[in-house]
Amino acid sequence: MQLAKTQKKHSIVSLTPLIDVVFILLIFFMLASSFAEWQFIELSVGKAEEMRVDSRSTSTIKLITDGTFTLNDKEMRMEEIISIVRERCRININHPIIIQPVEGVSLQSLVTILDQINEFAGKNISLAKVDS
Amino acid sequence: MQIKQVTTTNHSENILPLVNVVFLLLIFFMLAGAFSKPDLFEVIVPSAENDNAADRKVLTMLINENGEIAHNQSILNEEELVKTIKDELEDGSLVHLQLKADASMDAIRLIDLMELLSTTELPAIHLLTVAPGSKQ
């Protein structure tokens, strides 16, 4: 008896359209996905109030422009201001710090100084507008 | 002269490793990436080196470089902003507000906004930042 030979057949379905679809899906997911890692700086919303500032016991940092700063009305470099305020906070963790951006100063400058001060200061940081 | 016969190879076998890699990449991007709705306007947030990871599910408002505030694809004026926050606070779902503000915005605008929000019972604002040099 002669048995019928079974012939090995190549798969009829071609892989090419599948690969095309997978590539399109890959490109879609690559472009649509977001990998940005968001962080935040916490700002407490207190009641706005006017306050008298004693310049001997408070550090008032004024942001004049995006690269000019004063500490208690004395112009200094950012690094100097940070080291003085750090020393004051080392003595008293609740040393009051007031940050006053002048009109025209960018949010990036404010965030940069807040970020550096947050590393060592306590919770006593306030944002204030410059008296007009 | 005898000419060497060129052997034909099976192409589908050759591309199998490529297909495997592409599948793995596809699965990676499907699982690791997060989808987000396109914002009403492009905002480049300030960079900072803090390491507080932000929550994606919190009420987030956008502020562009001109100080315009947007929420849910519409621009809000100050009254609408206060009303939206008060409504959310009444629902009890809002703990803090996330602000996605443009780095080039005037810093005074943030103080004005905080002054405005002090009329609500909102305890805190989370100002969104990204690590320096990271893609937004």
Side-chain angles (χ1 to χ4, degrees), chain A residues 10 19 22 26 29-30 32 34 36 38-48 101 104-108 115 128-129, chain B residues 15 19 22 29-30 34-35 45-47 49-50 52-54 56 103 105-108 112 118 123-129:
Chain A
H10 279 289
I19 296 162
V22 169
L26 179 66
F29 278 102
M30 280 173 74
S34 159
W38 298 104
Q39 297 156 348
F40 66 87
I41 292 177
E42 185 164 339
L43 304 168
S44 296
V45 182
K47 292 273 176 250
V105 169
S106 70
L107 182 67
Q108 177 65 66
D115 195 34
K129 287 206 268 188
Chain B
I15 58 165
V19 177
V22 170
F29 279 103
M30 281 172 72
F35 286 105
V45 303
S47 59
E49 285 173 352
N50 63 76
N52 309 316
R56 286 174 185 273
M105 182 187 91
D106 200 325
I108 295 283
D112 286 339
S118 68
I125 292 174
H126 285 185
L127 186 66
L128 288 182
T129 61

Side-chain angles (χ1 to χ4, degrees), chain A residues 14-32:
Chain A
S14 168
L15 268 180
T16 316
L18 169 79
I19 296 162
D20 288 347
V21 171
V22 169
F23 261 111
I24 288 166
L25 281 173
L26 179 66
I27 291 164
F28 169 75
F29 278 102
M30 280 173 74
L31 297 179

Side-chain angles (χ1 to χ4, degrees), chain A:
Chain A
M1 195 179 78
Q2 206 176 5
L3 290 173
K5 266 188 186 174
T6 50
Q7 266 195 325
K8 266 192 178 176
K9 273 189 180 174
H10 279 289
S11 94
I12 302 160
V13 183
S14 168
L15 268 180
T16 316
L18 169 79
I19 296 162
D20 288 347
V21 171
V22 169
F23 261 111
I24 288 166
L25 281 173
L26 179 66
I27 291 164
F28 169 75
F29 278 102
M30 280 173 74
L31 297 179
S33 301
S34 159
F35 289 94
E37 284 187 27
W38 298 104
Q39 297 156 348
F40 66 87
I41 292 177
E42 185 164 339
L43 304 168
S44 296
V45 182
K47 292 273 176 250
E49 55 189 46
E50 281 193 18
M51 52 193 260
R52 286 173 185 273
V53 177
D54 179 7
S55 62
R56 288 166 299 176
S57 61
T58 308
S59 294
T60 306
I61 303 167
K62 202 181 277 182
L63 283 70
I64 311 285
T65 62
D66 281 337
T68 322
F69 312 93
T70 63
L71 176 64
N72 294 340
D73 293 326
K74 200 174 162 191
E75 195 172 325
M76 290 181 193
R77 285 186 299 119
M78 171 85 135
E79 298 80 37
E80 287 175 306
I81 293 175
I82 294 296
S83 73
I84 292 169
V85 177
R86 187 193 296 269
E87 186 56 27
R88 288 177 184 172
C89 287
R90 198 181 59 77
I91 297 161
N92 173 18
I93 187 73
N94 287 320
H95 173 69
I97 302 164
I98 297 170
I99 302 174
Q100 285 185 312
V102 172
E103 207 169 333
V105 169
S106 70
L107 182 67
Q108 177 65 66
S109 298
L110 178 66
V111 167
T112 305
I113 202 153
L114 264 176
D115 195 34
Q116 295 193 37
I117 288 171
N118 268 335
E119 280 178 25
F120 53 81
K123 292 269 178 191
N124 210 347
I125 307 170
S126 311
L127 296 179
K129 287 206 268 188
V130 180
D131 301 330
S132 50

Side-chain angles (χ1 to χ4, degrees), chain A residues 38 40, chain B residues 53-62 71-72 88 93-100 122 124-128:
Chain A
W38 298 104
F40 66 87
Chain B
D55 190 351
R56 286 174 185 273
K57 290 170 189 161
V58 175
L59 175 71
T60 305
M61 291 196 178
L62 303 171
H71 172 55
N72 276 349
E88 292 276 345
S93 56
L94 184 65
V95 184
H96 52 250
L97 171 71
Q98 271 186 356
L99 276 186
K100 193 175 171 186
L122 188 74
I125 292 174
H126 285 185
L127 186 66
L128 288 182

